[in-house]
Amino acid sequence: MPTYKAPLRDMRFLINEVFDFESHYKTLPNGEDATPDMVEAILGELARLCENTIAPLYQSGDEEGCKLEDGVVTTPKGYKEAYQEYVAGGWQGLSHPAEFGGQGLPMSLNLFKQEMLGTANWSFAMYPGLSLGAMNTIQLHGDEEQKQTYLTRLTEGTWAGTMCLTEPQCGTDLGQVKTKAEPQDNGSYKITGTKIFISSGDHDLTENIVHIVLARLPDAPKGTKGISLFIVPKYLPGKIGEDNGVACGSLEKKMGIKASATCVMNFDQATGFLIGPANQGLECMFTFMNSARIGTACQGIAHAELAYQGSLPYAKERRSMRALSGKKDPDAVADALIHHGDVRRMLLKQKAIAEGGRAMIYFAAQYADNMISGILEDDKDKYDRWDSELGFLTPILKGFLTEKGLEAANDAMQVFGGHGYIKEHGMEQIVRDARIATLYEGTTGIQALDLLGRKVLLSSRGKCVRDFSKKLLDFGRKHLTDGELRPYAWKLLKIAAEWNYLTTRIMLVAAKDREMVGTASHDFLMYSGYAMMAYFWALQAKVARDKLAHGGNEPKEFYQAKLATAEFFFERMLPAAKGHADGALKPTKSTMQLAPEHFSFDYE
Ligand SMILES: Cc1cc2nc3c(=O)[nH]c(=O)nc-3n(C[C@H](O)[C@H](O)[C@H](O)COP(=O)(O)OP(=O)(O)OC[C@H]3O[C@@H](n4cnc5c(N)ncnc54)[C@H](O)[C@@H]3O)c2cc1C
């Protein structure tokens, strides 16, 4: 089993040398306290918590899983104590307002925290992670009384939160939600219905759980325009321990993240309170969706990082045959796996995904900070502008990075050969845990449709691609005559042109054939992911090259490794983008022509 070690060098490289968070924090209304010393102290403390307390529970939590007995859900051994340590450290309120007991620091610090917690133990990270969704919703849409009642306890972490959207008949298409909300004379509502797949729906980590539930009022219009949002606590405030008609009916038996309690939740005339305007529940729910989805995008890099931390030492220890260019360890019985080209390919791919993905997320984290500034400064235009910038990045990060994280986990397993498939080394657990990331918080298919259909074509008619690809163009033009960076500059120029060409072509075809958006969307998403990752690898290469020339905070081998990984990404991974470009432009016919009844002639 890999022993998690926080990748602090890489995090510091991005935070200090690539993205200059120190200057960025100076521009934020809540950035004053985020000094380099403070950031360093936070990273160090988090690393200690994650390495010593949370990571050691990763494998045992998977083996033991959660249990439901007599209506009570318990988490695996050690989770409660670890959660208490997390709460005692004040970690839940890191980026939440001081008036509710939080530390009010920029959102990006919370994303660094999510990455570390999640890499150490994704199942554990789900409990505080889901709570953040509930906290954000109440903070933005709750009235003053709701904020006072719930936010202090949620910010402390002594209460937890959930997001209850999915029902048996619908996960993506929430317009089909059936859960009912009946108004009561005292202004509250009786909530009745069943929600499935609810992460952290019930557990023993906190004294109360605050569910944010999508439900329908009696006179609500059909579809998405008739859904409202409710706060439904497990126990009503002041009545801890008294049944409020909220119960976990069963725990889902699932492939991975077994220490995360995924619950069927039954609401039986449970008392709830409307949050936000009636019938605008979905809009309220989606307000913070971008940052929630970036949290899930972290899962891609989390699993790539952990898988790499497992497969790298194994590739150095395990011996098999001799290197093609001659013996590397002549005194040993055979050479280590790391000397074989195909094993190096798999290792470098994991490294490129983890570090390239981390750069993408940290960049987006600055956008998230700017978006929050809009709220803190009561500047709606600013909020909307940054939310929209973030809105373009989100489906790419969530869709591309979770797919690539799964690929990295599979590569790590492959490095172990047959030993990757058995439990002992922990690789199969990482693969199982990584799989869910492409499904929840909007499947990859839905991210792809959101990107191409909504963000690129409908909302901006390609402007968001033009705007982002300008960064690639600028880099390309600036470094085209630079001997070392020239190959990257040249490729970025080509990609920027191709990305815009793809967008325009798809837009033209889709104007006549609407199926084009659906058939092209996955390839377009993956192409966009490669394009974005290429930019961030070029940026890292430039900074590494400059630091090698003029001196940086890290040893020279660190910067040389960055350059080598950038070269690997550009030469061995980026060519896959071409296949996606070709696929995206193919006419819809080959995908759409087969009639549903002709997909098989032997079975239904
Ligand atoms: C472990 C786990 C934890 C979860 N946690 C939560 C939680 O905390 N709260 C919560 O509310 N939900 C949660 N979910 C539910 C999750 O968000 C949904 O499963 C997910 O949104 C997909 O919905 P679905 O399963 O109903 O699939 P469906 O919506 O039925 O989709 C099935 C397939 O069809 C595709 N598809 C659907 N519609 C379209 C379309 N219009 N165009 C193209 N393709 C389409 C999808 O991409 C997918 O591949 C969780 C699920 C799991 C497994």
Side-chain angles (χ1 to χ4, degrees), residues 126 130 163-166 170-173 196-199 254 257 262 436 439-443 445-446 449:
M126 296 276 290
L130 264 294
M163 303 301 273
C164 297
L165 292 70
T166 307
C170 66
T172 303
D173 184 6
I196 62 165
F197 299 166
I198 302 309
S199 302
K254 57 192 193 295
I257 55 164
T262 312
I436 183 60
L439 295 166
Y440 56 18
E441 283 294 343
T443 59
I446 295 307
L449 279 181

Side-chain angles (χ1 to χ4, degrees), residues 355-412:
E355 295 177 12
R358 183 172 296 118
M360 288 162 77
I361 286 179
Y362 287 18
F363 174 82
Q366 292 197 338
Y367 278 20
D369 285 342
N370 295 338
M371 181 189 85
I372 301 292
S373 298
I375 299 175
L376 297 174
E377 291 164 349
D378 216 5
D379 181 343
K380 184 154 177 355
D381 287 348
K382 184 172 183 180
Y383 171 83
D384 286 344
R385 195 170 68 249
W386 285 106
D387 187 45
S388 150
E389 297 271 2
L390 198 58
F392 172 62
L393 303 185
T394 309
I396 302 176
L397 265 55
K398 198 302 184 166
F400 180 74
L401 292 182
T402 58
E403 292 287 345
K404 291 292 138 189
L406 179 61
E407 229 175 279
N410 262 314
D411 279 331

Side-chain angles (χ1 to χ4, degrees), residues 151-226:
L151 273 185
T152 312
R153 309 305 304 277
L154 285 166
T155 306
E156 278 171 5
T158 47
W159 290 7
T162 73
M163 303 301 273
C164 297
L165 292 70
T166 307
E167 297 186 3
Q169 73 286 359
C170 66
T172 303
D173 184 6
L174 293 169
Q176 296 183 44
V177 158
K178 285 184 188 158
T179 297
K180 285 190 299 197
E182 298 158 274
Q184 305 297 297
D185 293 342
N186 63 2
S188 69
Y189 294 80
K190 289 288 177 203
I191 310 291
T192 304
T194 296
K195 297 283 176 180
I196 62 165
F197 299 166
I198 302 309
S199 302
S200 320
D202 198 23
H203 54 76
D204 56 355
L205 302 183
T206 55
E207 68 181 33
N208 201 3
I209 301 175
V210 182
H211 303 283
I212 304 288
V213 181
L214 285 184
R216 258 176 210 293
L217 292 165
D219 52 355
K222 283 202 168 64
T224 51
K225 301 227 178 304

Side-chain angles (χ1 to χ4, degrees), residues 251-325:
L251 285 176
E252 308 286 3
K253 295 187 178 58
K254 57 192 193 295
M255 176 180 180
I257 55 164
K258 290 183 188 250
S260 162
T262 312
C263 305
V264 172
M265 295 302 300
N266 295 322
F267 296 88
D268 183 7
Q269 297 270 303
T271 299
F273 308 94
L274 182 69
I275 176 168
N279 298 329
Q280 289 180 32
L282 269 190
E283 282 145 63
C284 294
M285 192 97 180
F286 280 101
T287 322
F288 255 87
M289 199 48 91
N290 286 329
S291 32
R293 285 183 170 165
I294 291 175
T296 314
C298 276
Q299 192 172 358
I301 61 164
H303 294 308
E305 175 68 42
L306 192 63
Y308 185 54
Q309 292 195 12
S311 59
L312 178 62
Y314 189 81
K316 289 182 180 174
E317 279 162 31
R318 174 92 173 166
R319 297 186 178 279
S320 176
M321 301 170 67
R322 290 295 180 189
L324 292 178
S325 55

